[in-house]
């Protein structure tokens, strides 16, 4: 009996020792993610708040004085993760995780990607080592229209061709952007080579990629024709429309018009309806007159 009582007491004390009250953090965790091209770009960070304080500036009343190295954000800092190699501020950066360090100034900031994710923030300048600097650049800082209460990162301004974007910082009255560029041609071309022979629909995916990004249109047309030549595929009017698009971009007006008309004819016969392709093909024909 005594042994049972001791066991129960031990369990009770252990439970009390590990019991914790959960309360909101004054600098809550945040995360921003976007795919740029084929690259996953993620920033995990802690979001300090202004709370009526002077954040950046000169003098003792500034929380983060000009010229001082800052492990950007609260808590353990802000971590940028790249799933592939990319250019950041026009410098090649390998895929991986990097701590974001900054040095605030009045008109421009120093932006640093640092390989030691766990550098001690209590003595940051003393622990900082140039050998761990992966990237260091300066960037123009601008004033925000309104005060931003919580530190905010964004992946903004993604280009139409998905090859570039900006890492955007906003806090207090300061905003700046760091450009990022990605390349995905090599990866896409490897996939095209490997998978078009495995699954015919990949001919269409490859052709659409070449059409969209203004690559070799002769090759794009060849891939579409290979797909349409397969048994039963010559009635796929939605892919005949893609063929008409490619022919039009090549300047082959008559062939494009004939292909668009063929697509319209098949779309009219479809038991599922034309799926909007009659209108799209007519727009191609009209643009070539």
């Amino acid at each position: 009996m005594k042994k049972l009582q001791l066991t129960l007491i031990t369990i009770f004390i252990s439970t009390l020792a590990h019991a914790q009250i959960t309360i909101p953090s004054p600098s809550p965790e945040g995360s921003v993610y976007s795919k740029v091209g084929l690259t996953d770009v993620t920033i995990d960070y802690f979001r300090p708040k202004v709370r009526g304080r002077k954040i950046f500036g000169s003098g003792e009343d500034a929380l983060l004085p000009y010229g001082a190295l800052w492990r950007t954000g609260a808590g353990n800092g802000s971590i940028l993760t790249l799933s592939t190699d990319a250019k950041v501020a026009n410098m090649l950066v390998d895929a991986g995780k990097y701590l974001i360090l900054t040095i605030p100034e009045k008109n421009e900031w120093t932006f640093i990607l640092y390989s030691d994710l766990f550098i001690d923030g209590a003595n940051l300048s003393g622990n900082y080592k140039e050998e761990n600097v992966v990237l260091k650049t300066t960037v123009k800082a601008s004033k925000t229209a309104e005060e931003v209460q919580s530190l905010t990162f964004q992946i903004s301004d993604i280009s139409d061709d998905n090859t570039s974007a900006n890492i955007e910082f906003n806090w207090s009255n300061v905003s700046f952007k760091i450009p990022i560029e990605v390349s995905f041609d090599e990866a896409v071309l490897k996939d095209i080579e490997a998978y078009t022979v495995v699954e015919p629909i990949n001919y269409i995916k490859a052709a659409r990629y070449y059409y969209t990004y203004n690559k070799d249109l002769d090759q794009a047309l060849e891939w579409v024709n290979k797909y349409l030549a397969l048994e039963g595929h010559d009635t796929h009017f939605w892919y005949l429309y893609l063929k008409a698009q490619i022919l039009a971009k090549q300047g082959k007006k008559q062939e494009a018009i004939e292909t668009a008309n063929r697509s319209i004819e098949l779309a009219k016969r479809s038991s599922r309806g034309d799926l909007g392709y009659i209108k799209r093909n007519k727009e191609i024909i009209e643009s070539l007159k």
Side-chain angles (χ1 to χ4, degrees):
M1 185 68 178
K2 265 188 171 181
K3 190 172 182 182
L4 177 61
Q5 286 177 331
L6 284 171
T7 302
L8 290 172
I9 291 168
T10 302
I11 292 170
F12 178 70
I13 292 171
S14 176
T15 301
L16 285 178
H18 289 90
Q20 295 183 13
I21 298 172
T22 303
I23 60 173
S25 168
S27 300
E29 292 181 63
S31 183
V32 60
Y33 161 82
S34 182
K35 189 175 281 289
V36 184
L38 297 178
T39 304
D40 296 316
V41 182
T42 307
I43 301 174
D44 296 301
Y45 64 113
F46 292 85
R47 307 183 66 193
K49 299 174 183 177
V50 173
R51 298 200 297 272
R53 300 173 294 179
K54 178 182 176 181
I55 303 300
F56 307 111
S58 53
E60 294 181 359
D61 58 337
L63 178 67
L64 297 165
Y66 291 147
L69 185 65
W70 178 32
R71 190 175 64 176
T72 312
N76 296 324
S78 303
I79 305 295
L80 170 68
T81 304
L82 301 170
S83 67
T84 73
D85 298 351
K87 280 189 175 180
V88 180
N90 209 34
M91 288 176 259
L92 188 62
V93 175
D94 293 340
K97 292 178 179 288
Y98 302 97
L99 182 67
I100 297 175
L101 303 178
T102 50
I103 302 174
E105 294 289 0
K106 185 176 182 180
N107 297 316
E108 65 178 22
W109 282 40
T110 300
F111 179 89
I112 299 164
L113 292 182
Y114 199 73
S115 62
D116 181 2
L117 306 184
F118 307 104
I119 184 172
D120 183 5
N123 182 23
L124 187 58
S125 58
N127 293 319
Y128 176 86
K129 297 177 181 177
E130 284 292 337
E131 65 205 55
N132 292 328
V133 173
V134 175
L135 176 148
K136 189 174 188 178
T137 188
T138 56
V139 60
K140 291 277 186 185
S142 59
K143 288 202 168 186
T144 58
E146 297 180 0
E147 188 170 55
V148 179
Q149 288 298 315
S150 295
L151 188 153
T152 302
F153 277 107
Q154 297 181 68
I155 312 299
S156 63
D157 309 315
I158 298 175
S159 62
D160 288 342
D161 64 0
N162 286 313
T163 60
S164 65
N166 283 314
I167 297 168
E168 183 174 347
F169 169 98
N170 290 280
W171 192 35
S172 183
N173 60 349
V174 175
S175 178
F176 66 79
K177 294 181 179 182
I178 300 293
I180 178 170
E181 299 173 58
V182 299
S183 175
F184 44 82
D185 267 357
E186 188 176 340
V188 171
L189 292 174
K190 280 183 180 177
D191 278 356
I192 288 171
E193 185 177 349
Y195 300 129
T196 48
V197 294
V198 177
E199 178 55 56
I201 193 61
N202 287 316
Y203 284 123
I204 295 297
K205 291 180 179 179
R208 185 172 284 124
Y209 174 73
Y210 268 40
Y211 169 79
T212 301
Y213 291 97
N214 297 310
K215 296 187 177 297
D216 186 343
L217 293 176
D218 289 336
Q219 179 63 76
L221 184 61
E222 182 183 328
W223 280 325
V224 172
N225 285 333
K226 277 186 176 182
Y227 177 85
L228 294 171
L230 296 171
E231 185 177 354
H233 289 187
D234 59 342
T235 60
H236 292 183
F237 57 85
W238 47 94
Y239 294 138
L240 275 167
Y241 169 72
L242 174 59
K243 179 177 177 177
Q245 285 182 300
I246 294 168
L247 289 166
K249 190 177 269 192
Q250 286 179 310
K252 299 175 180 177
K253 292 185 179 182
Q254 191 56 43
E255 289 180 64
I257 291 170
E258 289 172 2
T259 303
N261 278 324
R262 173 64 176 158
S263 180
I264 290 171
E265 180 187 334
L266 290 167
K268 286 178 178 178
R269 295 185 209 162
S270 172
S271 60
R272 296 187 298 161
D274 75 288
L275 307 176
Y277 281 92
I278 290 177
K279 182 176 182 293
R280 295 183 197 183
N281 280 293
K282 284 182 175 178
E283 286 173 351
I284 287 182
I285 293 168
E286 192 60 35
S287 71
L288 295 173
K289 287 182 179 177

